[in-house]
C-alpha cells in the first residue's frame, strides 16, 4: 500500500508539474504578446495624433494672420503653433524609431509608404516640420503653400494610420492563433496525462484494491481454516487418545501385556499428530522439513494402525494390513511423516466408510540403485469424485473429503513430493477409494551397527517444574548413566548451582518464579558458569529456541523427549561416550 501511495503521489506531482509548466510558459508568452499589442496601440494612437497635429498647425497659422494687431494673443497662438510642430516632430521620430528596432513594427507597405516614391511620407513630414518652424506669416504665398502641404499630408497620414492599424490587426490574428495553439497544447497535455499518468494511476489503484481484496479474502480464508482446524483438531486427536484409554482400560481389567503395548503404540501415534500440528504453519508456507531416521517398518506400521483398530471395530469395519516377510526390514526414511500420511489416509477411509473392509497394503521394492516403499489404502466407502481426483483441491468449503485436521490430501501430496515420491488416487472397480503412494527408502543391513550412549559418572541438573515430566526425563537420563538432581524452577536451580557442579544442565523454558530464559542468562552472566545447557521444551517455535541460544544455551530437544534425539544432542556436545553394538 505504501508503494502504491508513493507511485500515485509521484504521478500526481508529475501531472501537476507538467500542467504548471505549460501554464507558466503560456502565461509568459501571453504577457509578451499583450505587451507587444500595447505597444501597437501606442503606435496607432501616435499615428492618429499626427493627423490632428498637422491640422492644428495649419489652424494656428491661419489665426496668426488675423492677429497681427493683437500682440499678446498673437504670441500665445504662436507658442501653441510651435508646440504643435514640436510635438509632431517628436511623434514622427518615435514612429521612425520603430522602424529601426529588431523585429520592428514597420511592415513592407509602411516602409514603402514612408520612404518610397511617390508618397515619401517621411521626407514630406520633415518638410512640414521645417516649414512650420520657419513660417513667415507676412508671406501669403508661404501660407498657401503650407495649406496645400497640410491637406495632402493629412491624406497620406490617414493612409499611414490605416497601415498601422492593419499591422496591429495582423498581430491580433497572430495572438488568436497563439491562444488556439496554447489551448491545443493544453488538450494534448491533458490527453497525454490521462493516457500515461492518470490511466496508469487508475490501474495501479484498481490493482492495489484488488490486491487488498485478495489479501482480505486470503485472511478470511486463513481465519476460517484456523477455526476449522482448531474445531476439528480435538476430534482428530480423540482417535489415538481413545485408543490409549481403551487399551489401558482393557489392561487394567485383563492384565494382557499386548494391551499395554497397543496403548504405548497409540500414544506414539498421538505424539506424531501433535508434531504435525506444530508443523502446520510451516506446511502453510509449503516448507516441509524432512528428517530421516532408522526404524523397523512393521513397528512403524503397527504404530499407525493400532489407534484405528478400535475406531474401525466400533463402526463395524474390518481393518487389515497386508505385509509379506520381505517387509520385515529396518528402513532409513522420514518415518514420522510417513506414519502421518498413512494415519491420514486410514482416518479418512474409516470416516467415509460405513461397511466393508479397509486394507493397508505395504510393498517394499528392492533395486540395484534405489529401493522404494509403496503403501496403498483402499476402502469400500463412497469413493472419490472425479473433480477431486482432477483438482487435488481440498480447501473448498463445499468439499469435505480428506480434510481431517485441515492438513488434508494436498499436504499429503506436499510430503510425498518432499520425500521425492508420488501420490496417486483413484476409485476401485469394486467401489470405494484407493490411494497409493511410493517413496524412495534405504534398506538397512540386518547386521547394522547400532550406537548406544554411556554417561556413567556424569552428573546432570534437571530444571523442570512438572513432576510427571521430571520423573519420565529422570528415568531416561538414568538409563544413559547420569546421576540426576532436580530443581523445580530457575531460582532453585541457581541455588543448587552455587554449591554443586554438573556436567550438563537440562533446562525447561516455561516455569514459575523464574523462567528458563532468565535462568540461562544468570547462569552465564551472574554465576559465570560454562556448563553445557540443553533446553528441554515443548515449544518448537524457532524464534524462541534462537532466543535461548543467544542467551547462552548450547542445544535443545523437543518434548516429548525421544531417546534417539537426546543421544544425538548429547553426542554433538561431547557429553556422552558412544558404544557400537550389532543388531540381531
Amino acid at each position: 500500500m505504501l508503494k502504491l501511495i508513493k507511485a500515485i503521489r509521484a504521478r500526481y506531482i508529475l501531472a501537476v508539474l507538467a500542467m504548471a509548466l505549460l501554464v507558466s510558459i503560456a502565461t509568459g508568452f501571453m504577457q509578451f504578446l499583450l505587451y507587444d499589442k500595447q505597444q501597437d496601440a501606442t503606435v496607432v494612437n501616435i499615428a492618429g495624433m499626427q493627423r490632428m497635429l498637422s491640422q492644428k498647425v495649419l489652424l494656428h497659422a491661419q489665426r496668426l494672420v488675423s492677429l497681427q494687431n493683437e500682440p499678446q494673443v498673437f504670441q500665445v497662438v504662436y507658442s501653441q503653433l510651435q508646440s504643435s510642430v514640436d510635438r509632431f516632430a517628436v511623434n514622427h521620430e518615435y514612429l521612425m524609431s520603430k522602424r529601426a528596432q529588431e523585429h520592428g513594427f514597420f511592415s513592407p507597405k509602411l516602409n514603402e509608404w514612408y520612404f518610397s516614391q511617390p508618397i515619401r511620407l517621411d521626407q514630406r513630414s520633415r518638410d512640414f516640420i521645417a516649414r512650420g518652424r520657419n513660417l513667415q506669416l507676412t508671406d501669403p504665398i508661404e501660407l498657401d503653400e503650407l495649406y496645400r502641404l497640410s491637406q495632402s499630408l493629412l491624406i497620406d497620414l490617414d493612409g499611414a494610420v490605416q497601415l498601422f492599424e492593419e499591422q496591429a490587426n495582423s498581430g491580433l490574428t497572430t495572438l488568436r492563433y497563439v491562444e488556439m495553439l496554447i489551448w491545443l497544447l493544453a488538450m494534448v497535455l491533458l490527453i497525454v496525462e490521462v493516457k500515461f499518468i492518470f490511466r496508469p494511476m487508475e490501474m495501479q489503484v484498481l490493482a492495489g484494491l484488488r490486491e487488498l481484496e485478495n489479501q482480505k479474502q486470503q485472511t478470511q480464508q486463513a481465519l476460517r481454516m484456523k477455526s476449522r482446524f482448531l474445531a476439528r483438531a480435538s476430534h482428530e486427536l480423540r482417535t489415538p487418545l481413545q485408543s490409549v484409554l481403551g487399551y489401558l482400560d482393557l489392561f487394567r481389567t485383563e492384565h494382557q501385556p499386548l494391551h499395554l503395548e497397543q496403548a504405548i503404540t497409540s500414544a506414539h501415534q498421538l505424539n506424531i499428530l501433535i508434531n504435525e500440528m506444530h508443523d502446520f504453519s510451516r506446511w502453510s508456507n509449503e516448507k516441509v522439513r524432512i528428517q530421516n531416521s532408522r526404524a523397523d517398518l512393521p513397528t512403524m506400521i503397527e504404530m499407525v494402525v493400532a489407534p484405528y483398530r478400535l475406531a474401525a471395530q466400533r463402526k463395524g469395519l474390518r481393518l487389515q494390513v497386508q505385509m509379506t516377510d520381505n517387509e520385515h526390514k529396518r528402513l532409513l526414511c522420514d518415518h514420522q511423516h510417513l506414519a502421518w500420511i498413512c494415519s491420514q489416509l486410514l482416518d479418512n477411509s474409516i470416516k467415509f466408510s460405513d461397511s466393508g473392509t479397509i486394507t493397508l497394503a505395504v510393498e517394499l521394492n528392492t533395486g540395484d540403485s534405489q529401493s522404494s516403499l509403496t503403501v496403498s489404502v483402499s476402502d469400500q466407502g463412497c469413493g472419490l469424485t472425479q473433480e477431486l481426483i482432477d483438482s487435488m483441491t481440498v480447501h473448498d468449503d463445499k468439499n469435505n473429503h480428506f480434510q481431517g485436521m485441515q492438513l488434508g490430501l494436498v499436504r499429503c501430496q506436499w510430503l510425498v513430493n518432499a520425500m521425492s515420491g508420488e501420490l496417486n488416487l483413484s476409485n476401485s472397480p469394486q467401489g470405494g477409494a484407493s490411494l497409493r503412494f511410493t517413496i524412495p527408502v534405504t534398506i538397512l543391513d540386518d547386521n547394522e551397527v547400532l550406537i548406544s550412549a554411556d554417561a556413567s559418572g556424569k552428573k546432570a541438573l534437571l530444571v523442570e517444574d512438572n513432576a510427571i515430566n521430571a520423573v519420565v526425563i529422570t528415568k531416561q537420563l538414568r538409563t544413559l548413566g547420569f546421576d540426576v538432581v532436580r530443581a523445580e524452577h530457575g531460582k532453585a536451580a541457581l541455588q543448587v548451582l552455587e554449591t554443586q557442579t554438573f556436567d550438563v544442565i537440562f533446562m525447561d523454558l516455561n516455569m514459575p518464579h523464574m523462567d528458563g530464559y532468565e535462568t540461562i542468562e544468570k547462569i552465564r552472566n551472574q554465576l559465570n558458569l560454562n556448563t553445557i545447557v540443553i533446553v528441554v521444551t515443548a515449544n518448537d517455535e524457532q524464534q524462541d529456541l534462537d532466543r535461548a541460544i543467544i542467551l547462552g544455551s548450547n542445544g535443545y530437544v523437543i518434548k516429548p523427549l525421544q531417546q534417539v534425539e537426546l543421544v544425538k544432542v548429547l553426542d554433538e556436545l561431547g557429553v556422552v561416550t558412544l558404544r557400537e553394538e550389532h543388531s540381531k
Side-chain angles (χ1 to χ4, degrees), residues 425-439:
L425 60 160
S426 61
N427 287 317
S428 301
Q430 297 81 12
S434 176
L435 293 100
R436 179 186 182 93
F437 67 91
T438 302
I439 60 171

Side-chain angles (χ1 to χ4, degrees), residues 124-312:
R124 291 170 56 209
S125 296
R126 296 184 185 278
D127 291 343
F128 178 76
I129 294 170
R131 284 181 177 275
R133 287 176 175 170
N134 300 317
L135 180 63
Q136 298 296 325
L137 298 176
T138 57
D139 189 352
I141 297 175
E142 188 170 350
L143 285 173
D144 184 60
E145 188 68 24
L146 180 62
Y147 176 78
R148 285 187 292 102
L149 181 60
S150 175
Q151 291 301 316
S152 63
L153 189 63
L154 177 63
I155 296 173
D156 294 334
L157 288 173
D158 187 63
V161 171
Q162 293 179 1
L163 291 175
F164 278 117
E165 289 177 348
E166 181 181 334
Q167 178 69 13
N169 289 334
S170 66
L172 290 175
T173 302
T174 302
L175 180 60
R176 285 194 294 270
Y177 287 151
V178 170
E179 289 177 342
M180 182 62 69
L181 178 61
I182 292 174
W183 179 81
L184 289 175
L185 288 176
M187 293 299 102
V188 170
L189 180 59
L190 288 176
I191 293 174
V192 170
E193 288 182 344
V194 168
K195 183 175 181 180
F196 295 103
I197 296 180
F198 293 111
R199 180 60 178 170
M201 186 189 304
E202 179 185 3
M203 298 302 294
Q204 281 187 314
V205 172
L206 292 176
L209 292 176
R210 285 193 294 269
E211 182 180 356
L212 289 176
E213 182 63 26
N214 291 335
Q215 292 177 354
K216 177 183 176 182
Q217 293 178 359
Q218 291 175 2
T219 301
Q220 291 175 345
Q221 181 182 7
L223 291 175
R224 289 194 297 268
M225 289 179 60
K226 179 180 178 181
S227 298
R228 290 198 299 269
F229 172 79
L230 295 176
R232 295 176 65 93
S234 59
H235 170 75
E236 298 303 322
L237 293 176
R238 284 194 186 101
T239 298
L241 181 60
Q242 184 64 37
S243 180
V244 171
L245 296 175
Y247 281 120
L248 288 178
D249 186 60
L250 289 173
F251 176 76
R252 184 175 59 182
T253 57
E254 300 180 7
H255 302 286
Q256 294 291 330
L258 177 62
H259 294 157
L260 184 59
E261 292 178 3
Q262 293 287 358
I264 294 173
T265 301
S266 298
H268 284 301
Q269 180 63 15
L270 178 62
N271 180 48
I272 289 175
L273 286 175
I274 294 174
N275 289 336
E276 297 307 322
M277 291 174 62
H278 284 304
D279 284 344
F280 177 69
S281 61
R282 288 188 288 270
W283 287 16
S284 297
N285 295 321
E286 300 189 27
K287 297 178 180 177
V288 181
R289 296 186 303 180
I290 300 302
Q291 296 178 330
N292 292 326
S293 60
R294 293 172 169 82
D296 184 64
L297 179 58
T299 303
M300 187 276 294
I301 295 298
E302 179 60 27
M303 182 183 65
V304 171
V305 175
Y308 295 100
R309 294 189 187 278
L310 288 177

Side-chain angles (χ1 to χ4, degrees), residues 296-305 320-329 331 333 335 338-339 342-343 345-346 358-366 372-378 435-439 441:
D296 184 64
L297 179 58
T299 303
M300 187 276 294
I301 295 298
E302 179 60 27
M303 182 183 65
V304 171
V305 175
Q320 65 179 11
V321 178
Q322 294 181 353
M323 295 180 64
T324 64
D325 292 338
N326 292 333
E327 278 72 53
H328 289 268
K329 300 285 186 179
L331 302 180
C333 63
H335 286 275
L338 176 60
C342 294
S343 67
L345 300 184
L346 281 177
I358 298 174
T359 303
L360 174 65
V362 181
E363 180 181 358
L364 185 60
N365 305 303
T366 58
S372 62
L373 177 69
T374 299
V375 179
S376 64
V377 176
S378 58
L435 293 100
R436 179 186 182 93
F437 67 91
T438 302
I439 60 171
V441 296

Side-chain angles (χ1 to χ4, degrees), residues 478-512:
R478 286 175 177 171
T479 300
L480 297 176
F482 281 106
D483 180 16
V484 182
V485 175
R486 180 201 169 197
E488 295 183 355
H489 48 73
K491 286 186 177 180
L494 294 178
Q495 293 174 357
V496 171
L497 289 170
E498 288 178 352
T499 58
Q500 300 183 48
T501 59
F502 297 88
D503 297 287
V504 62
I505 301 171
F506 294 92
M507 181 72 64
D508 187 18
L509 291 180
N510 298 317
M511 296 178 294

